[in-house]
Amino acid sequence: MTIQISIYVLGLLIVLALLFDFMNGFHDAANAIATVVSTGVLKPQTAVAMAATFNFVAIFVFHQLTVAATVGKGTIDPAVIDQYVIFGALMGAIFWNLFTWYYGIPSSSSHALIGGLVGAAVAKSGTGALVAAGLWKTVAFIVIAPVLGFVFGSIMMLLVSWIFVRSTPRKVDKWFRRLQLASAAAYSLGHGGNDAQKTIGIIWMLLIAAGYSSAADQMPPMWVIISCYTAISFGTLFGGWRIVKTMGQKITKLKPVGGFCAETGGAITLFVSTALGIPVSTTHTITGAIVGVGSAQKMSAVRWGVAGNIVWAWIFTIPASAFVAAVAWWIGHHIM
């Protein structure tokens, strides 16, 4: 069903979606650079420039827009999509991103967006508007993604410790200061590939509802893809500095070898999730990997209280953004 929407409202919603994409990069920049900055391998300005570059390079690596398809067609019934649902979803996600950024809480932009879609769709049409299969897959990875990050991060740390058992700490540090550049680049590649596609999915969903694209299309218009990758890259370039300290030092103290293992474990998780078309949280992924690296050394190396506070933020993300989205849907219905 094609909705009636003015070109001005359509343009406003696309700009709002790109603003969310920019904030996604801004908010999640810390995930990509926290370890490489906190270990002293790169200066902050250099780290964000590298992360932003590889966010955009992901456009040439992840050709299959599987995550965009999940967000655009697999979370809520396309029949309920209109300008008010999209407006509510984006406002819910943007509010939660701003709130958690202000308080320095590493939370998920991805799940804020999913929560926004759920809240706005339910406000309009009830729970029947939800696509259970896609939502359960996304919700399941709230747990699975950090567990995979934890497993891969700890395995990498144990392997590296075994391989370099006879090396001096100075030699190990020298090697992994170089290798961490590659692992940070790989993580930023995975970040761009998974996260930019979520906004692509939102705009694609809107264009289909407005009749500017077809549900049968395998790909959205190229300008949508390029603009979304560009927006998240610029967001990363400006960086969410409030969260860097929490991710890089408060959970556990990291050295270059630990930073390499955490980033590599996180990157593997993101690559696998993107290939499966699952929108995951880069925040959850890297947090799990950092905890895995710390616990592989010794359990007391992890500040479990800080990790616990982060988990509470994860739990509240979808309900909080859904509630704000429902309110925003009602407001939008009266002002747009």
Side-chain angles (χ1 to χ4, degrees):
M1 182 181 71
T2 301
I3 61 172
Q4 297 298 317
I5 178 173
S6 75
I7 193 68
Y8 302 106
V9 173
L10 180 64
L12 174 66
L13 290 174
I14 290 172
V15 169
L16 197 61
L18 292 175
L19 174 62
F20 165 77
D21 201 25
F22 175 88
M23 290 182 61
N24 189 345
F26 184 89
H27 188 277
D28 290 357
N31 303 337
I33 69 168
T35 52
V36 77
V37 170
S38 297
T39 55
V41 171
L42 288 178
K43 293 181 179 179
Q45 294 82 356
T46 307
V48 291
M50 184 188 74
T53 299
F54 280 94
N55 275 177
F56 189 81
V57 169
I59 196 173
F60 305 107
V61 177
F62 298 98
H63 301 292
Q64 299 298 319
L65 300 178
T66 50
V67 175
T70 298
V71 173
K73 303 174 184 178
T75 53
I76 61 176
D77 184 355
V80 307
I81 296 299
D82 60 17
Q83 59 269 44
Y84 310 115
V85 170
I86 297 297
F87 174 75
L90 290 171
M91 292 305 295
I94 288 171
F95 167 82
W96 188 249
N97 270 359
L98 285 172
F99 178 82
T100 52
W101 165 78
Y102 182 80
Y103 287 101
I105 303 169
S107 69
S108 170
S109 299
S110 308
H111 294 136
L113 182 59
I114 297 298
L117 283 170
V118 168
V122 170
K124 178 183 178 181
S125 301
T127 55
L130 306 181
V131 178
L135 284 175
W136 278 119
K137 184 167 62 173
T138 303
V139 170
F141 265 74
I142 292 177
V143 176
I144 295 171
V147 169
L148 286 177
F150 179 94
V151 170
F152 288 134
S154 56
I155 287 174
M156 287 297 302
M157 192 67 198
L158 291 171
L159 281 174
V160 167
S161 299
W162 179 71
I163 293 169
F164 289 89
V165 66
R166 297 186 183 277
S167 299
T168 63
R170 185 174 180 179
K171 188 175 181 180
V172 170
D173 188 75
K174 181 180 178 181
W175 268 100
F176 282 94
R177 280 183 172 274
R178 296 170 181 171
L179 288 172
Q180 205 183 350
L181 297 176
S183 62
Y187 187 84
S188 297
L189 200 65
H191 173 216
N194 198 278
D195 277 24
Q197 288 194 37
K198 294 153 192 170
T199 308
I200 292 173
I202 287 288
I203 297 177
W204 193 6
M205 179 190 295
L206 181 62
L207 291 176
I208 291 171
Y212 290 95
S213 188
S214 169
D217 292 342
Q218 296 298 311
M219 297 278 285
M222 185 54 66
W223 66 264
V224 175
I225 299 172
I226 293 172
S227 60
C228 287
Y229 274 101
T230 301
I232 198 170
S233 299
F234 272 104
T236 297
L237 191 62
F238 287 94
W241 298 109
R242 288 175 180 266
I243 302 172
V244 171
K245 189 176 180 182
T246 299
M247 297 300 294
Q249 293 294 343
K250 285 188 177 180
I251 297 174
T252 188
K253 295 289 185 181
L254 289 174
K255 293 181 179 179
V257 61
F260 169 82
C261 293
E263 288 160 353
T264 303
I268 293 170
T269 304
L270 291 177
F271 275 64
V272 170
S273 302
T274 303
L276 295 174
I278 302 169
V280 298
S281 166
T282 53
T283 310
H284 295 195
T285 302
I286 195 63
T287 302
I290 291 171
V291 171
V293 166
S295 59
Q297 299 170 79
K298 56 180 180 178
M299 296 299 286
S300 60
V302 178
R303 295 188 176 95
W304 295 101
V306 174
N309 291 337
I310 293 172
V311 170
W312 278 112
W314 297 353
I315 293 170
F316 284 117
T317 292
I318 289 180
S321 54
F323 174 77
V324 175
V327 174
W329 172 86
W330 184 86
I331 294 172
H333 219 284
H334 288 78
I335 65 172
M336 289 177 68

